[in-house]
Amino acid sequence: MTRAYNELYLEDAMRNMGAMLDYAVRECHHDIGWFYNLFLTSGISEQVAIGNVRYIAGMSGVELANEVTRRTTGKSRVEAVYICDGDTPEYWAGWALAFYQWFSARSFEQLQRDGLSIEIVISLYPTHHEADLTKFAQTADAIIREQTGKRPCSLKTLRKEAHLTQQELSELSGVTLRMIQAYEQGDQDIRRAEARTVFALARALGCRVEMLFG
């Protein structure tokens, strides 16, 4: 499987994601769900997800947290001398989530849409924080399978959930706009599409192939 970015930067990303959430909750007293949603809307989550070195290695967790709040609320905080011992549920949640995002090559937004919320990750801390991260990855996979299996899935639904226009999906996947329109309108049956077309659409949407056949 293709990973989200070079593994050389994974440890930095995990450590900084963990410290970011730990600092936001323990020092700034933010609700973790509220702050994580700021992270998702700030644009920083996208940069971390693609392995932008400036964000995963060039900034500390404290700097990341402050940049998230600055971008989304317009408020900045004086840099604090903050020591994170890495032994809190918040730190572990950021640490593990950064690993799974790299491992799955899905965006943080996609993971959230598929049911892997930060609250659910936090809830796994008691049973998973001393286990190998592969166990967490297996559990995360199972949660996403269960959650995505409960909702109606189709090309149009998945495209809208990904906040893509038909034109944008066409450009990302390489599938013509005319074909995407035909699949969504029912003029063409996506179940009869060529395998490479279906795989290209699934990859662009960050979903499993079978989810396109809802």
Side-chain angles (χ1 to χ4, degrees):
M1 176 187 288
T2 301
R3 303 304 184 198
Y5 49 85
N6 193 305
E7 190 174 0
L8 289 172
Y9 298 106
L10 177 59
E11 185 176 344
D12 286 330
M14 292 168 64
R15 182 175 60 250
N16 286 338
M17 275 281 293
M20 177 187 74
L21 292 184
D22 187 82
Y23 172 78
V25 173
R26 302 280 169 169
E27 180 71 15
C28 302
H29 308 293
H30 296 317
D31 174 79
I32 193 167
W34 177 83
F35 177 79
Y36 189 72
N37 282 330
L38 294 188
F39 171 66
L40 294 181
T41 59
S42 67
I44 293 175
S45 64
E46 298 171 3
Q47 297 304 311
V48 173
I50 64 174
N52 185 323
V53 177
R54 177 189 175 193
Y55 293 91
I56 63 175
M59 300 175 73
S60 68
V62 170
E63 289 171 332
L64 280 176
N66 288 336
E67 182 66 7
V68 166
T69 54
R70 186 193 68 78
R71 288 192 183 191
T72 54
T73 70
K75 298 178 181 178
S76 58
R77 184 182 175 95
V78 176
E79 294 293 334
V81 177
Y82 184 68
I83 299 174
C84 177
D85 62 12
D87 193 28
T88 66
E90 293 80 17
Y91 181 93
W92 178 84
W95 184 76
L97 194 54
F99 170 81
Y100 186 68
Q101 185 277 318
W102 170 83
F103 179 82
S104 65
R106 298 184 181 105
S107 69
F108 291 103
E109 292 81 359
Q110 182 71 49
L111 296 178
Q112 174 99 329
R113 286 195 299 271
D114 285 348
L116 194 65
S117 67
I118 191 63
E119 291 87 355
I120 286 177
V121 176
I122 282 279
S123 74
L124 297 175
Y125 174 78
T127 56
H128 287 68
H129 77 281
E130 293 183 346
D132 189 276
L133 276 172
T134 55
K135 180 180 179 182
F136 169 73
Q138 290 168 356
T139 300
D141 284 342
I143 289 169
I144 288 173
R145 282 196 301 271
E146 180 182 3
Q147 294 298 318
T148 55
K150 290 180 179 177
R151 67 187 186 193
C153 295
S154 66
L155 176 60
K156 186 175 183 178
T157 300
L158 291 165
R159 175 179 62 75
K160 287 188 173 182
E161 288 182 352
H163 304 290
L164 295 173
T165 64
Q166 291 177 332
Q167 182 63 47
E168 288 169 337
L169 178 57
S170 174
E171 292 170 358
L172 283 172
S173 65
V175 178
T176 66
L177 175 61
R178 182 177 179 181
M179 287 306 300
I180 289 173
Q181 292 171 336
Y183 292 139
E184 290 193 1
Q185 293 167 6
D187 296 332
Q188 294 285 339
D189 188 348
I190 196 170
R191 294 175 180 81
R192 297 183 179 180
E194 293 183 359
R196 64 182 180 182
T197 297
V198 177
F199 279 114
L201 288 169
R203 183 177 180 83
L205 291 166
C207 70
R208 302 191 309 278
V209 167
E210 58 267 28
M211 292 176 66
L212 294 169
F213 304 146

